[in-house]
Amino acid sequence: MEAAGRLFFGSGFARVSMDDLARELGMSKKTIYRHFPDKRSLLAAVLDRQFAAVERTLVAATEDAAGQPFAVRVQRFLIAAGGELGRIGSPQLATGRGDAMLRQYVEQRVDAVVYQRLDELFREGHQQGLLPAPPELLSEITRGALERLLMSELPRDLDWTAADLLRATVDTVLYGAIRPTGRGIDDEHPRAVIPTARDDDQEAGP
């Protein structure tokens, strides 16, 4: 599974054949088939192993950030999640062409391991009065941003690291894109005002 993981994540699942794996291992395909009936079952086993590692990383990040301000906890969780998901290429696996059952499997694992934890974190912040916006909305925005960044050329275009972009994403999601100059993620921030109705005759507030 270690060799299969290197090949699948390095070259892409669709480009790796069982012949390639047999050559990498110095054994016959018949030997591999004794353990895995086909390539998809082998990839599923590799992904199970990788998602277990992702889960351990996220648990460790959550424990390390315990007692820190809420924004720091969200930031560290998302950076850890983004790093792990980018490493295994889960957005590409989940949205790419190929085996529909495999895509569904990856989506379910990402949801269980990453996004359900993120949902709980946002609900906690909302219950504590730290997030006036609905936690469901924040979850959807953050999911979309995270997955898009992992598949985007933006880090290269802006010459930013993925971690830098994730930090900026957290900052924007939690505090808004417009605020006084010089305020940082650890500063005290004003609560966002969620409009309940549009009134074109009134000047928009900050």
Side-chain angles (χ1 to χ4, degrees), residues 34 87 94 108 144:
R34 289 176 185 169
R87 182 173 59 82
Q108 290 172 347

Side-chain angles (χ1 to χ4, degrees), residues 48-89:
D48 277 337
R49 184 178 184 179
Q50 292 294 329
F51 276 113
V54 170
E55 190 163 17
R56 289 193 297 271
T57 298
L58 295 184
V59 168
T62 300
E63 292 176 350
D64 289 344
Q68 296 290 325
F70 179 75
V72 175
R73 293 168 57 201
V74 174
Q75 183 189 85
R76 291 185 182 176
F77 179 87
L78 282 177
I79 291 173
E84 289 296 301
L85 295 181
R87 182 173 59 82
I88 67 175

Side-chain angles (χ1 to χ4, degrees), residues 22-199:
R23 282 193 296 271
E24 175 76 10
L25 293 171
M27 63 176 61
S28 68
K29 286 195 297 183
K30 183 177 180 180
T31 302
I32 300 175
Y33 285 131
R34 289 176 185 169
H35 301 278
F36 302 98
D38 52 40
K39 188 171 74 167
R40 187 164 66 84
S41 65
L42 174 58
L43 178 59
V46 169
L47 287 172
D48 277 337
R49 184 178 184 179
Q50 292 294 329
F51 276 113
V54 170
E55 190 163 17
R56 289 193 297 271
T57 298
L58 295 184
V59 168
T62 300
E63 292 176 350
D64 289 344
Q68 296 290 325
F70 179 75
V72 175
R73 293 168 57 201
V74 174
Q75 183 189 85
R76 291 185 182 176
F77 179 87
L78 282 177
I79 291 173
E84 289 296 301
L85 295 181
R87 182 173 59 82
I88 67 175
S90 63
Q92 292 86 345
L93 287 168
T95 61
R97 297 177 180 178
D99 193 307
M101 291 181 64
L102 177 61
R103 292 200 305 272
Q104 184 180 22
Y105 167 83
V106 173
E107 290 170 354
Q108 290 172 347
R109 293 294 287 152
V110 170
D111 186 71
V113 172
V114 178
Y115 293 135
Q116 287 184 20
R117 285 184 167 86
L118 181 63
D119 293 345
E120 292 174 3
L121 194 56
F122 281 144
R123 282 195 295 269
E124 178 186 340
H126 187 69
Q127 290 169 358
Q128 293 175 0
L130 300 173
L131 299 175
E136 297 83 1
L137 173 62
L138 294 175
S139 291
E140 285 299 310
I141 292 172
T142 309
R143 288 184 190 210
L146 177 60
E147 293 178 0
R148 178 67 179 173
L149 284 175
L150 291 174
M151 299 180 67
S152 172
E153 296 295 326
L154 196 58
R156 185 195 65 187
D157 294 341
L158 296 179
D159 195 24
W160 282 24
T161 67
D164 289 334
L165 289 173
L166 283 171
R167 289 188 184 95
T169 299
V170 174
D171 203 23
T172 302
V173 168
L174 294 184
Y175 306 122
I178 301 176
R179 66 182 184 202
T181 303
R183 303 181 74 104
I185 194 168
D186 294 324
D187 296 338
E188 182 180 355
H189 294 276
R191 292 168 61 89
V193 177
I194 307 301
T196 57
R198 179 178 177 133
D199 186 352

